[in-house]
Amino acid sequence: MDKPRKKFADILEKAMDTGNTMDRDELLFSYKGILYPVTLCSAEVFRAMESLEARSDDIILAGYPKSGTNWVGQILSDLVTILEKRTQNKASSVNDEELEEFPYLEIGDTEKYERMNKLPSRRVIFTHLLPENLPRSVFRNKAKILLLIRNPKDLATSFYHFSNSLSLLPSYETWDDFFVAFMTKKMPWGCYFEYLSKWNKYADDENVMTITYEELKENPVLGVKNIADFFGISLTDEELHIIVERSSFQSMKKNSQKTHGEFGKVLFRKGSVSDWKKLFSEDQNEKMDKTFEERIGGTKLGKKLKYEIYCKA
Ligand code: A3P
């Protein structure tokens, strides 16, 4: 089931090399009011994206950066690999190297979407975008979307370490500086609270299923089963357990050189819940608790995040 993802590692390594040659204040650009890394995204590619024809059998993973997208992405790729093995249609496998596209929708070149339109089903697509910035065909053609969310304190902690380890993102001298930027909408892919509030409007759609990082961590067997059910994929017990084992933090970290190249060393950091307790001051806790309550607290996604359990000391 292992597939070397050379293209994936190559694209990231090239972006990291370019980032190394740039000044901090050149690393991000703004498109429709949201910041993105210049080494990965561009206005031309965003415009070309509208030509993507989404399909009702697409498998779309939406998640803000650092919510565990690579983890759930691995689960989804394995589900598709199992489907392909069953149909024995190896010749048309979307996972073949020559057919494989970088899975993040908004990262690539302007011709990517025309190539994607020719790919066989089922396509696996990841995105960090807000719903309003997705190609309109995603909702028009009723593509299924798995929405992955993570408690904002661990997500901010993960984003801080990531920003300071990856040359393609602006780094921060201190955690306090990062916290201010996180709370004042200076992050690539926009503000997390805004992300949650915009996606919350879709939380009741029948084509959208929400899963939290924490619930998947607590019960991966149930999590993988629910994901497979949502996409209409039945699994034997053996298949279920193989996917769970292959997507454990330890397995993914061990395999990371093959799957993610140098980027893997940065990506697979802790893979745990509550690491935020080492960084947040009392004042920062108060500020985030207040913002969460005001912006997300009473919403469906807010409740799903179980803030009282995962974000209170
Ligand atoms: P930490 O930095 O807290 O360790 P993304 O893929 O969206 O960039 O998210 C990265 C976060 O998911 C990192 O969090 C990473 O360690 C964690 N992660 C990656 N694979 C995981 C796995 N198999 N199980 C649990 N967490 C995982």
Side-chain angles (χ1 to χ4, degrees), residues 63-72 74 104 128 148 150 154-155 157-159 161-162 213 217 246-253 263 266-273 275:
Y64 187 82
K66 314 321 294 168
S67 52
T69 43
N70 284 276
W71 176 19
V72 177
Q74 158 83 31
Y104 284 88
H128 295 318
L148 172 67
R150 185 179 190 183
D154 276 329
L155 183 139
T157 303
S158 178
F159 216 159
H161 292 293
F162 194 65
Y213 179 100
K217 187 91 198 160
R246 279 173 45 81
S247 61
S248 74
F249 182 75
Q250 289 72 16
S251 304
M252 286 190 71
K253 194 176 168 75
F263 177 70
V266 176
L267 184 68
F268 300 98
R269 193 185 62 92
K270 282 263 164 94
S272 62
V273 176
D275 197 38

